[in-house]
Amino acid sequence: MSTKKSCPAYRLADTPFAGYLSTSKRNRSVFRQMTAAPNPVVKDLSGDEAVEESIVERIFSAVVEQRLPPGTKLSESALCQAFGVGRMHIRRSLLLLSSREVVELLPNRGAFVASPTAKQAREVFEARMALEPTIARLAVERATAEDIATLSAHLQMEHDAHHNETRHEAIRLSGQFHILLAQIASNAVMLRMMKELVTRTSLIIGIFGAPSVANCRDDDHELILSAFKQRDAQAAANLMANHLREIEGSLNLNSKNSGAVDLVTLFSRR
């Protein structure tokens, strides 16, 4: 008879925030990560923290790349099996993902990939329309020759991913392009907001987009890059606004796509 312990189902009652966050220096460290920017770069982690950050990043990537559809139940026992860790590692990882609004924790039901509504989808695009043309303008004004070369190399990778029909990679690279622009704009607040908005957009496309729809068209990105090369900040801002309108227009906000996922198979792959 096997002596391996099973991993019990996730229950919010087992990890109340007040008790959990006040128990130790270790847990206060987790709280600092929970309140940090979405998808942060975390350095000098302890062994446990490194394990949990790795789990967070792999789930985060699977969501952004649309391998985990919105509304997917994240069974704690399945995640324990997939990552080969105990329940507390999974539980803390899910709390981190919840703080980044990638995962929803529902009392007595467990953890689920966030599933935005049509209203929330429209709000995300409203936010992007308010923010990204300004990011594009600032990025053009502040870009170095090295920055433009980096964007060119990135667009070549996007083109290759679309040409080779590697949809997951194309989705990841498309979102990363917008984050690169925020990095070039050199505004930490805008960068933090863009990381969150790109994640939410991937969720939205996963729900309301056709299976053939990726986050962005690489030819739209090429036009934006041309504005960089011409040092035309206003053209970049206008192109970005048109680009976002096209993405939103490609969605059917009256329908939803969903699908079951084998978490063990998905995350056991290396």
Side-chain angles (χ1 to χ4, degrees):
M1 180 179 295
S2 172
T3 60
K4 184 177 179 180
K5 295 182 179 180
S6 62
C7 185
Y10 184 90
R11 294 186 303 164
L12 286 178
D14 291 341
T15 55
F17 276 81
Y20 174 72
L21 295 173
S22 63
T23 54
S24 68
K25 180 179 179 181
R26 163 75 182 94
N27 290 336
R28 289 195 295 273
S29 175
V30 172
F31 177 72
R32 286 195 296 271
Q33 293 182 42
M34 289 172 63
T35 56
N39 198 21
V41 176
V42 182
K43 299 179 180 179
D44 299 326
L45 297 176
S46 68
D48 284 347
E49 290 173 312
V51 167
E52 289 157 17
E53 187 62 26
S54 175
I55 293 169
V56 166
E57 291 303 318
R58 290 182 64 188
I59 294 175
F60 181 92
S61 294
V63 170
V64 169
E65 296 168 17
Q66 298 178 351
R67 291 179 288 130
L68 268 180
T72 300
K73 181 174 176 59
L74 298 173
S75 163
E76 187 177 327
S77 58
L79 292 174
C80 286
Q81 183 180 348
F83 290 110
V85 298
R87 67 177 182 176
M88 289 310 298
H89 283 307
I90 297 300
R91 188 166 292 173
R92 286 190 287 252
S93 298
L94 292 173
L95 286 170
L96 283 167
L97 287 161
S98 175
S99 76
R100 301 171 193 180
E101 300 189 21
V102 177
V103 165
E104 296 175 342
L105 303 179
L106 304 180
N108 303 317
R109 293 185 58 197
F112 297 81
V113 177
S115 183
T117 65
K119 180 178 183 294
Q120 290 169 332
R122 294 186 182 96
E123 290 173 348
V124 165
F125 278 98
E126 284 179 0
R128 292 189 69 165
M129 282 293 294
L131 181 66
E132 285 196 76
T134 298
I135 287 176
R137 178 176 55 78
L138 291 175
V140 170
E141 292 171 354
R142 298 171 181 176
T144 65
E146 183 179 357
D147 290 330
I148 294 174
T150 297
L151 287 174
S152 296
H154 185 89
L155 287 190
Q156 183 59 54
M157 290 189 292
E158 275 193 58
H159 175 77
D160 292 343
H162 283 287
H163 180 73
N164 296 326
E165 297 184 349
T166 51
R167 183 169 183 260
H168 294 157
E169 183 69 0
I171 290 169
R172 184 186 70 80
L173 290 169
S174 293
Q176 185 64 26
F177 176 84
H178 291 262
I179 293 173
L180 279 174
L181 294 187
Q183 290 173 335
I184 293 169
S186 299
N187 185 303
V189 176
M190 288 181 172
L191 176 59
R192 178 178 297 187
M193 295 171 71
M194 277 310 305
K195 287 180 177 179
E196 178 180 338
L197 289 169
V198 165
T199 302
R200 291 190 180 192
T201 302
S202 290
L203 287 167
I204 288 163
I205 291 174
I207 296 175
F208 301 108
S212 60
V213 174
N215 280 14
C216 303
R217 291 166 39 186
D218 54 349
D219 52 343
D220 282 355
H221 289 178
E222 289 282 0
L223 292 172
I224 294 170
L225 178 60
S226 295
F228 271 79
K229 292 177 178 178
Q230 296 166 14
R231 296 292 180 175
D232 191 336
Q234 189 55 51
N238 294 340
L239 287 165
M240 179 60 74
N242 290 336
H243 177 48
L244 293 172
R245 281 191 285 266
E246 287 182 2
I247 297 173
E248 184 176 11
S250 71
L251 304 178
N252 180 2
L253 297 180
N254 296 316
S255 66
K256 289 192 175 184
N257 299 322
S258 61
V261 175
D262 184 333
L263 298 176
V264 176
T265 300
L266 175 63
F267 290 115
S268 294
R269 297 170 183 162
R270 297 289 181 181

